[in-house]
Amino acid sequence: MLRLMIVDDEQIIREALSSMIDYTSLGYKVIATAKNGMEAYDRIRDDYPDVVITDIKMPILNGLELIERASRIDSRITFILLSGYGEFEYAKQAMTYGVRYYLLKPTDKQELINCLDTIREEKKQKEVQQKAEQALLLKDMQSPLEQGLLMEALDQPDNFPQVFKKYQGLLSFPEKGLYACICSFVEETYLKSFLKDIVRILLSCGAESVFPVIYVKNSALFVLSSPTLAHQETIRQSLEELHYPQQCVTFETSFLHGDTSEDLFAQIISKISRYERILLIRPETGETRDFHNNMAAPWRISKLREAFTASPAETDIPSLLDSVFTPSMTPDVAKNIALGLFLNPDNSGQEPPLDIACDFFRRLYSCTQTSEIRKLAEIVLLQEKDEAASSKGGANISLLKSYVEAHLDCETLSLKWLAENYLFVSVGYLSKQFVKEEGIRFSDYLNKKRMEQAIRLMVYYHNDNIKTIARSVGFGNNPQYFSQVFKKYTGYTPTEYIEKVGASAPS
């Protein structure tokens, strides 16, 4: 269901718009109504609607000002503008903000339905496109995720079910239908030729490889999706018929089966766990990843968790991170460590939501410097630290409040941005948790903090321009809106308050 908000300064119109259409049948849920632009703006920061129906002319913040400010928070909101005749200039200006839906009052029911139908279909197409982009991103992430699965499973053999569950969705493993083929006596000197033949054999019998070839000390293991024993027998015969000039013995082939994919990978981990050096190879491209059971990433992640949990204060964060993310560390190694921290910050084994995971992956793999990756790791570690002392929600709220305190001057600060770009959690979950923990909505909390900061600035700098103070607490170039919020919070306009402060200041 798409989330819909209705904004109009006339109650009768709000009620009429709310009741004139069966929104549920169109795929919408009316989540809120608002009587003016300022109230709507605050609700948007808390409720993140998909579509907003708003009148152009409203008190406090008119429709165009609302669109301009809301678009900075979430550019994906679609606006339907309502206006009377003779307001074409407003319509032209609205178009500069990307508004394409413009209806005259009184609102025609069928026209509104047509708009909502079109918007719904457009958003469906965007969702399809987003899923396709996520699929491409996950494809690009496949190699580090595959390596991460093996490294973490080898590092935490007693926690394998939770480890596998996290990676299963990200790597698109089916619940059942996989088996593994192990070919022994494959010496590394003719491994390249062997891999080319593997591709040919699997292609000829219609078997699909779903994981890179795992190579450990003269044994090659590949995971396949093929339910018939006939396929397996064909593969066995084809492999045992292979021969290379340097080959001393005939290949031996065996198969692993499991009731589920998890069972199968548990057997694979058990088979390779005794080997120190492990190669992951894509036979189609020859791409090879070489790692060891005691490789830095799992060890450092485990040690970092332990040290961080045991540290008495958050001031230990820099030294702990510096011990891991050294200046000589390459970005690739740093990314592996940060990836491990994100996928398993508390050993809960809970898979992160796909959209949040992709947001993190996108941000992580856009980093080119180890120092940037270190900052992302710090966020993950801070969450883990606070979760040890409170609930996950409490940890997130603590981090959120600290960030707000440090960035009150940021005009586009919103719960949605914080959820998706700083904490990597669901915005819906964060919104509910914030109200539960703090007893007020995020927008009210943010305005309260900004007004408290504005008062401090006025006390110290009561001769300064109000515009400067408004800009310093996140209201950009909109001192009028700042004045409205300030009066709502204090009962005074900024000018009245500054005069009051100035009158009481010592001469």
Side-chain angles (χ1 to χ4, degrees):
M1 298 286 282
L2 294 176
R3 300 164 64 82
L4 177 70
M5 179 181 291
I6 296 171
V7 187
D8 199 289
D9 59 329
E10 296 185 39
Q11 182 176 351
I12 189 171
I13 294 180
R14 293 198 303 274
E15 292 175 352
L17 287 171
S18 298
S19 60
M20 71 185 295
I21 293 175
D22 180 6
Y23 291 101
T24 303
S25 66
L26 299 177
Y28 290 84
K29 176 184 178 182
V30 179
I31 59 169
T33 61
K35 63 186 177 183
N36 59 55
M38 184 169 75
E39 180 182 339
Y41 180 63
D42 285 342
R43 295 303 296 268
I44 285 171
R45 290 193 293 183
D46 287 316
D47 295 325
Y48 49 95
D50 298 292
V51 180
V52 176
I53 301 174
T54 180
D55 189 12
I56 281 186
K57 288 188 174 180
M58 288 185 299
I60 307 181
L61 282 180
N62 66 41
L64 296 179
E65 292 171 327
L66 172 63
I67 292 169
E68 181 185 11
R69 294 181 65 82
S71 296
R72 297 177 194 168
I73 294 175
D74 188 356
S75 60
R76 291 170 290 186
I77 299 174
T78 301
F79 288 89
I80 300 175
L81 271 180
L82 309 178
S83 80
Y85 288 100
E87 296 174 350
F88 182 66
E89 290 303 317
Y90 284 104
K92 288 199 299 184
Q93 189 175 349
M95 291 175 188
T96 65
Y97 298 139
V99 176
R100 297 188 292 115
Y101 302 97
Y102 189 88
L103 301 179
L104 292 175
K105 287 185 174 181
T107 306
D108 181 82
K109 178 179 177 180
Q110 190 56 49
E111 283 187 331
L112 180 55
I113 290 175
N114 292 343
C115 281
L116 293 172
D117 283 340
T118 302
I119 291 168
R120 185 187 66 247
E121 291 306 313
E122 287 178 347
K123 289 190 177 291
K124 279 185 179 179
Q125 290 299 318
K126 287 182 180 179
E127 185 178 353
V128 170
Q129 181 181 355
Q130 182 184 21
K131 288 182 178 179
E133 290 172 353
Q134 287 182 347
L136 288 174
L137 178 63
L138 288 176
K139 184 178 180 180
D140 291 339
M141 284 292 302
Q142 194 166 3
S143 291
L145 287 171
E146 289 163 344
Q147 182 174 337
L149 167 61
L150 295 189
M151 289 168 61
E152 196 169 335
L154 290 166
D155 194 47
Q156 304 178 49
D158 296 335
N159 199 35
F160 177 76
Q162 289 76 18
V163 171
F164 185 79
K165 181 179 179 182
K166 286 186 307 169
Y167 285 91
Q168 184 173 10
L170 296 170
L171 290 171
S172 301
F173 291 138
E175 286 292 332
K176 299 179 179 180
L178 298 182
Y179 69 97
C181 176
I182 304 174
C183 189
S184 302
F185 307 116
V186 182
E187 297 179 16
E188 195 164 347
T189 54
Y190 48 82
L191 180 58
K192 184 179 293 186
S193 299
F194 175 82
L195 293 172
K196 289 181 179 178
D197 284 325
I198 286 292
V199 173
R200 175 182 56 79
I201 291 170
L202 296 183
L203 184 63
S204 66
C205 67
E208 181 184 0
S209 177
V210 299
F211 201 78
V213 172
I214 303 172
Y215 183 78
V216 289
K217 200 171 183 179
N218 294 351
S219 291
L221 183 152
F222 36 102
V223 182
L224 305 172
S225 176
S226 177
T228 67
L229 292 175
H231 277 98
Q232 296 175 24
E233 188 57 32
T234 300
I235 291 171
R236 181 199 301 274
Q237 292 176 1
S238 298
L239 288 174
E240 293 180 354
E241 289 172 358
L242 292 177
H243 185 79
Y244 305 105
Q246 305 95 331
Q247 186 178 337
C248 301
V249 295
T250 303
F251 294 147
E252 290 186 4
T253 308
S254 61
F255 294 92
L256 297 178
H257 304 85
D259 292 336
T260 64
S261 297
E262 180 185 321
D263 292 338
L264 177 66
F265 272 89
Q267 294 180 57
I268 291 172
I269 295 300
S270 176
K271 290 283 186 183
I272 67 175
S273 61
R274 63 181 182 271
Y275 298 103
E276 180 182 5
R277 180 173 178 254
I278 300 172
L279 296 181
L280 268 182
I281 312 169
R282 290 200 176 282
E284 303 87 353
T285 63
E287 176 192 358
T288 302
R289 288 182 174 240
D290 187 343
F291 67 98
H292 299 72
N293 267 340
N294 59 350
M295 188 180 176
W299 175 83
R300 292 186 184 209
I301 291 170
S302 298
K303 292 299 182 183
L304 183 59
R305 289 194 191 115
E306 293 171 7
F308 195 76
T309 302
S311 64
E314 292 183 1
T315 53
D316 295 332
I317 297 173
S319 59
L320 288 170
L321 291 176
D322 289 342
S323 69
V324 177
F325 295 93
T326 59
S328 60
M329 177 177 287
T330 66
D332 284 344
V333 173
K335 286 173 183 176
N336 283 337
I337 296 174
L339 183 64
L341 286 169
F342 174 74
L343 289 175
N344 193 15
D346 58 1
N347 286 330
S348 66
Q350 182 178 358
E351 180 184 343
L354 184 59
D355 55 344
I356 298 298
C358 284
D359 284 341
F360 178 83
F361 296 157
R362 188 176 292 108
R363 188 172 176 189
L364 174 62
Y365 279 81
S366 68
C367 294
T368 58
Q369 303 293 326
T370 298
S371 58
E372 297 176 288
I373 300 165
R374 180 187 182 282
K375 291 178 182 178
L376 286 181
E378 184 173 343
I379 293 171
V380 175
L381 288 172
L382 281 169
Q383 287 176 314
E384 181 180 3
K385 176 72 174 177
D386 285 346
E387 284 164 20
S390 61
S391 67
K392 183 174 182 179
N396 286 327
I397 301 308
S398 176
L399 288 169
L400 180 152
K401 289 166 68 176
S402 296
Y403 190 95
V404 167
E405 290 282 355
H407 297 85
L408 285 174
D409 60 335
C410 178
E411 187 178 0
T412 58
L413 193 61
S414 70
L415 196 66
K416 189 177 183 67
W417 187 94
L418 288 164
E420 294 178 352
N421 297 279
Y422 183 61
L423 297 172
F424 305 104
V425 298
S426 160
V427 65
Y429 166 79
L430 188 62
S431 177
K432 291 177 183 177
Q433 196 63 38
F434 191 90
V435 173
K436 180 180 177 182
E437 295 279 337
E438 299 298 315
I440 58 175
R441 300 166 74 89
F442 173 76
S443 60
D444 294 328
Y445 173 84
L446 180 60
N447 281 339
K448 178 175 178 289
K449 288 296 179 183
R450 282 176 165 166
M451 294 307 102
E452 290 173 352
Q453 176 66 1
I455 289 172
R456 283 192 288 270
L457 292 174
M458 288 176 182
V459 170
Y460 287 113
Y461 309 106
H462 51 267
N463 292 324
D464 261 4
N465 190 296
I466 292 174
K467 289 184 179 180
T468 303
I469 293 175
R471 191 179 303 111
S472 299
V473 294
F475 286 82
N477 295 316
N478 199 327
Q480 180 186 4
Y481 180 46
F482 167 70
S483 298
Q484 291 157 356
V485 176
F486 189 86
K487 186 169 183 179
K488 178 181 176 182
Y489 181 79
T490 65
Y492 297 95
T493 67
T495 300
E496 291 170 345
Y497 195 87
I498 288 176
E499 290 175 352
K500 176 184 173 185
V501 171
S504 60
S507 56

